Amino acid sequence: MAFGILEALLSFSGTDMIIANLFNTFVYIGYFIIGYSLPNTIFLRMKRVIWFGLFVVSSVTIYLCTGWAVGHRNTINFKPLYFYDYLSILVVIAAISLFMLFMKIDVRNRVLQNVSRSITPHIFFIYFVHLIVLRYVTKFFAEMIPVENHLAWAIPVMSIIIFLISYLIAVLFGGIKGLFIRKKPSEFKLPESPAGGI
């Protein structure tokens, strides 16, 4: 995660970090480590409203800064989509905040529980396959419209499309895998929250 943040920060000033090429195959593993570790830390004691506030502030800042950078892309000397980079510090804060917010939510709605149960077993596959889907969806959109001029709606729409396609691929892969593997995998369960009912 540190190498990824450093790379994103250096690219902000137009500097290439050669060492990033050695680490880019596992640079995002920091998200996995943080996702595994944070629920077992004192940060889980923070109120939902704090995590929600952090997510909103960082997301709005990303939106405003990206819009400004894209609008001035001919006069700035860094990547106009830096603030939207997976490892820009604002995106890291937004991702952690949203993750912790979800950890604090107790879903009681039966429909949402069923949706969650249908998605949860495929989460890791969706994560790994979405980069491939992202490449083709982005290319498709780029050929149709200049995405940079429609960020307000293009990014949310693309995100939903990418997730749905990745989910369908995961379900299809799971069905094909089921033809060859008879043993039913155990149901995935989130670990008990150490913070209890906080």
Side-chain angles (χ1 to χ4, degrees):
M1 182 67 81
F3 275 109
I5 292 174
L6 180 59
E7 179 191 10
L9 184 62
L10 289 176
S11 67
F12 173 77
S13 61
T15 304
D16 290 325
M17 188 172 72
I18 297 175
I19 197 172
N21 295 324
L22 303 175
F23 291 95
N24 63 4
T25 54
F26 63 90
V27 73
Y28 298 112
I29 201 168
Y31 277 118
F32 283 103
I33 295 171
I34 288 176
Y36 177 80
S37 304
L38 277 176
N40 300 312
T41 66
I42 60 173
F43 290 108
L44 195 64
R45 298 177 186 173
M46 291 170 61
K47 302 281 187 185
R48 279 183 293 188
V49 66
I50 296 176
W51 290 118
F52 179 73
L54 283 171
F55 174 73
V56 169
V57 169
S58 55
S59 298
V60 169
T61 305
I62 291 167
Y63 175 80
L64 295 176
C65 291
T66 300
W68 172 85
V70 168
H72 294 80
R73 59 182 176 271
N74 294 326
T75 58
I76 58 177
N77 61 354
F78 59 89
K79 293 191 306 183
L81 293 181
Y82 161 75
F83 300 101
Y84 188 67
D85 191 283
Y86 296 132
L87 289 167
S88 76
I89 191 64
L90 291 171
V91 172
V92 171
I93 291 172
I96 290 173
S97 301
L98 186 61
F99 173 76
M100 293 302 287
L101 181 62
F102 280 140
M103 288 295 298
K104 304 284 286 183
I105 295 175
D106 182 19
V107 179
R108 298 182 184 276
N109 183 283
R110 190 63 64 100
V111 175
L112 291 178
Q113 286 179 345
N114 290 335
V115 170
S116 176
R117 288 193 187 99
S118 68
I119 293 174
T120 300
H122 304 290
I123 287 295
F124 285 113
F125 190 92
I126 291 171
Y127 177 81
F128 285 117
V129 79
H130 91 278
L131 288 175
I132 300 171
V133 177
L134 172 67
R135 174 176 296 181
Y136 288 101
V137 170
T138 303
K139 183 179 179 182
F140 175 77
F141 268 79
E143 292 175 352
M144 290 180 57
I145 57 169
V147 176
E148 292 83 2
N149 298 332
H150 304 280
L151 291 176
W153 67 265
I155 289 176
V157 169
M158 287 171 58
S159 299
I160 293 170
I161 291 173
I162 290 165
F163 175 80
L164 290 176
I165 293 175
S166 300
Y167 173 70
L168 291 175
I169 293 173
V171 171
L172 179 63
F173 180 81
I176 294 173
K177 185 176 69 172
L179 296 175
F180 300 97
I181 302 175
R182 293 190 177 187
K183 184 179 179 182
K184 185 178 179 181
S186 58
E187 184 178 350
F188 176 84
K189 292 183 180 179
L190 286 173
E192 290 294 326
S193 168
I198 295 177

